Structures are given as C-alpha cells and as structure tokens.
C-alpha cells in the first residue's frame, strides 16, 4: 500500500563548491544490475553531446544486488532510498538533484536516452513539463497487450475526463520538468501512482505541458510491475482526487431518483402504467437517504482537500463563499420540522382513534426519511464548519 510523504527539496546555491548543472537526469533503480551501467553511460553521453553541464542521479530503492555500486562506477551520483516504491525513489532523486531541468527515465532500457536533448529543448522553449508519448512507437514485445490496449488507454482516458489534461500517454516514464515547479506540484505519493499524481498536479497548477512521440523498447531484465495491483493504485488515486465524479454524480443520481420515487408513490400517482406501494416507497426512501449522505461526504472531501491538501477547486470556492453554516443548519432544520409535523399528524390520528392500529404507512415512511435527511444535513454542516477552521 502506498503512502504519502513530503520530501524537502534541496536548492542549489552559489556557495556549493560544485558547479550548478543545467540538467539532472534522475533514474530510479531497483535491482537493475544488468541495465543500470548502460543507462548511466547513455545519459552521460547524451549530456556530453549536448555540450551542457549535467549530472546523472540514480535513486537506488534499496536494491539487493550491486546496482548502486555499478551506477556509481559508471559515473552517477547515487542516493539510497530505503522506502520501497516508484514515487519514493523519485522523491529522493529529486531532492538530491541540482539541475535547473530534471529529466526522468527508467533504468530498464525501455527509453532511449538520446531523446534527452529533445526534452530539454522543449523546456527551453517554454514548457514547464514534458511527457513522452509511446503509444504509436511501441516496439514488438515492449508492452503487454493488456497495458497497451486496455490499461493505459482506460486510465489515461479517465485522467483526461476527470482533469482535462489533454495528455495522450499519462503513464510514460520518460518525462522532464523545470526544477522550479516542484514546490508547486507538492508531490507526495510513493507508489506507481506517482506518474498519475504528477500529471494531475501539473494540470491543476495549469503548467504548460508539452508532449511528443518517443520510442518504447523491450525492457532488460525482470519487470517490477504488477498489472492489476499497480493499475488499481492508479485508478484509486484518480477517483480519490476527483470527488465530483466519485461522489457528486452517483450521490445526485441516488438522491434524485429516490426523491422522484418518494414523491410519485406518496402522492399515489401512476408510474409505468401502475400504482406502486409500500415496498417501492421504502426503496425510494433508502436511495434518498444514501444519496444525501454521499453528497454531504463530497462536501467534506472538498473541504479537506482545500484546507489540508492545498487543492484548488473553483466550484467549492464559489459554494463556500455563498453558503455558511447557518444555511445548512436552516435547511436541515426545515427537513426535520416537516418530518416531525408529519409524525405528529400520525400520532394525533392514532390517539383520536383510541390508540388502535396505526395507519398512514406511506406518511410514516416519508416523515422518517425527511427527519433522517434533515439530521444528516444539520450535522454535516457542523462538520464542514469544523474543517473550515483550518483557513482561519
């Protein structure tokens, strides 16, 4: 299970005896002894060909082989990150790097380090993040069909749907960014979902993102990916960071359908050519209650993201500017009041009939539903207000 961490990024200073490089090539590494020397050598050669000052930083993720030693002998600066995870390695590599531009690439020979000048050129031209697009240049055997035709297209499509990034290959491992945007990105995740987090945060920060085609080669050595586990991590991250799609859409649908059912059944109107009874009313009430609960949860999720995670959401900002605690308390109280009045009518009727058999079953269900929904709104308003104390 991945966690969220914050790594303090080192900032190159003029007092450092080493010359500040223009480019830092950061390579995460986990048991890549058979590949890492070739990767480091290729990266250094690319920097030499460019004629710029540069460095290669290998973020060794507590390898159990000689990866770290081989990388250092090949000319890389090695930083060891013992917390396992793709994101953990990159966070450590970023913190150790010193270049104005950071180029990222895996240590499995799937990417061509000769493309480094293209990434740097795009940054020089004004891009703040550059991402490679592998999907039209995948060499035979380089990517399993499940990743190529199902996993990557679906996850990239969902990312673009939720966050409108416009990126064609959101999970390409070769990318570059300006060092000065790292603080704005505030990257935290430690697992494979780090790739998604970077694109999502870049989109939310409205960074200038460039993308161009690159080749994707068959990897050297054993793959560390787990298709379903890592795919789920990406999907989970997308959903958690898109509360509108995770909560509002299903919540509004449930509450809306439930309300319609309650109204139609309680009023005795025909629907689909027939009259519906008590069981349909209970089902509608259940949908209405659950939908309201989900909608109150999304408001709390938005509040937490805004006040504690630095998220920016124009919709939530507009809502909190227009509505205050008292509005929620008033709305919840109105629902509870109407429900209580309906309950009082039922009790009064029961008393007037000598405490006999209770009737008004439909009215009782509606009354109970309104009371429950009102209580949800009432106390959720207090919870939102408590979360809002963070901004003061």
């Amino acid at each position: 299970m991945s966690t969220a961490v914050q790594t303090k990024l080192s900032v190159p200073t003029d007092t450092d005896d080493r010359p500040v490089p223009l480019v830092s090539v950061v390579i995460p590494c986990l048991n890549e002894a058979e590949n890492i020397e070739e990767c480091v050598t290729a990266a250094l050669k690319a920097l030499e060909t460019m004629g710029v000052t540069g460095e290669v930083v290998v973020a060794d993720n507590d390898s159990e082989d000689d990866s770290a030693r081989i990388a250092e002998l090949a000319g890389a600066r090695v930083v060891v990150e013992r917390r396992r995870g793709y994101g953990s390695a990159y966070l450590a590599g970023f913190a150790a790097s010193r270049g104005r531009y950071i180029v990222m690439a895996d240590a499995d020979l799937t990417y061509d380090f000769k493309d480094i000048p293209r990434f740097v050129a795009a940054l020089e031209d004004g891009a703040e993040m550059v991402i490679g697009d592998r999907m039209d240049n995948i060499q035979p055997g380089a990517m399993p069909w499940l990743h190529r035709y199902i996993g990557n297209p679906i996850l990239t499509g969902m990312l673009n749907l939720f966050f409108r990034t416009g990126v064609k290959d959101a999970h390409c491992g070769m990318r570059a960014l300006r060092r000065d945007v790292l603080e704005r990105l505030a990257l935290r995740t430690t697992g494979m979902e780090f790739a998604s987090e970077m694109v999502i945060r870049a989109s939310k920060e409205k960074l200038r993102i460039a993308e161009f085609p690159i080749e994707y080669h068959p990897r050297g050595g054993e793959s560390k990916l787990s298709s379903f586990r890592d795919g789920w991590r990406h999907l989970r991250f997308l959903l958690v960071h898109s509360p509108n799609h995770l909560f509002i859409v299903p919540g509004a649908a449930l509450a809306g359908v439930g309300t319609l059912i309650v109204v139609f059944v309680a009023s005795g109107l025909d629907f689909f050519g027939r009259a519906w009874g008590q069981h349909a009313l209970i089902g509608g009430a259940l949908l209405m209650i659950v939908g309201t609960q989900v909608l109150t949860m999304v408001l709390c999720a938005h509040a937490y993201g805004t006040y504690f995670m630095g998220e920016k959401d124009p919709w939530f900002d507009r809502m909190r500017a227009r509505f205050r605690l008292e509005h929620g308390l008033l709305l919840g109280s109105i629902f509870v009041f109407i429900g209580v009045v309906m309950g009082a009518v039922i009790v009064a009727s029961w008393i007037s009939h000598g405490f006999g058999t209770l009737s008004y079953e439909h009215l009782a269900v509606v009354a109970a539903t309104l009371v429950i929904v009102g209580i949800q709104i009432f106390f959720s308003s207090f919870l939102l207000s408590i979360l809002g104390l963070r901004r003061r």
Side-chain angles (χ1 to χ4, degrees), residues 59-77:
D60 184 75
N61 208 192
D62 200 22
S63 295
E64 298 168 349
D65 58 15
D66 288 335
S67 296
R69 183 181 64 84
I70 294 172
E72 193 168 17
L73 290 174
R77 185 155 56 88

Side-chain angles (χ1 to χ4, degrees), residues 318-329:
R318 289 194 299 271
M319 291 301 102
R320 70 176 181 174
R322 295 178 182 177
F323 300 102
R324 301 181 179 277
L325 167 64
E326 292 76 16
H327 292 105
L329 298 181

Side-chain angles (χ1 to χ4, degrees), residues 139-275:
Q139 294 190 359
M143 184 182 293
W145 70 268
L146 182 64
H147 297 183
R148 183 173 185 176
Y149 298 108
I150 299 178
N152 199 68
I154 289 177
L155 290 174
T156 298
M158 291 183 64
L159 189 147
N160 286 323
L161 174 66
F162 292 173
F163 304 100
R164 301 175 184 175
T165 66
V167 174
K168 297 178 182 178
D169 184 10
H171 303 100
C172 179
M174 190 168 192
R175 50 184 72 182
L177 68 159
R178 294 172 176 267
R179 181 179 185 82
D180 57 15
V181 305
L182 280 174
E183 186 174 354
R184 291 165 59 190
L185 293 177
L187 302 169
R188 295 181 174 89
T189 56
T190 61
M192 289 300 298
E193 63 274 27
F194 182 83
S196 294
E197 180 190 23
M198 181 175 285
V199 178
I200 291 171
R201 292 296 304 163
S203 175
K204 289 187 175 183
E205 290 296 321
K206 301 187 184 304
L207 298 188
R208 294 185 296 275
I209 302 175
E211 189 176 24
F212 53 73
I214 62 172
E215 290 191 0
Y216 190 65
H217 305 269
R219 86 165 338 267
E222 183 181 354
S223 175
K224 313 299 189 304
L225 291 175
S226 174
S227 298
F228 293 100
R229 181 193 64 195
D230 294 329
W232 164 243
R233 282 180 172 178
H234 282 289
L235 178 59
R236 179 184 64 187
F237 187 84
L238 294 180
L239 292 173
V240 168
H241 284 74
S242 181
N244 287 349
H245 295 85
L246 182 61
F247 292 106
I248 287 184
V249 174
L254 290 173
V257 171
T259 301
L260 288 175
I261 293 175
V262 169
V263 170
F264 272 98
V265 176
S267 61
L269 297 175
D270 290 346
F271 194 62
F272 287 128
R274 57 163 293 178

Side-chain angles (χ1 to χ4, degrees), residues 22-28 43 46-47 50 55-57 90 93-94 97 99-106 111-121 123 130 173-179 198 212:
L22 177 69
V23 182
S24 292
V25 181
V26 178
I27 306 174
L47 294 174
M50 293 173 63
E55 64 176 355
V56 176
V57 177
Y90 264 125
F94 289 168
S97 65
R100 183 191 308 169
Y101 302 136
I102 298 175
V103 179
M104 306 161 55
D106 296 338
Y111 299 104
D112 193 339
F113 287 87
K114 293 179 181 178
D115 286 326
I116 290 176
R118 299 172 63 198
F119 283 85
V120 175
L123 293 176
V130 189
M174 190 168 192
R175 50 184 72 182
L177 68 159
R178 294 172 176 267
R179 181 179 185 82
M198 181 175 285
F212 53 73

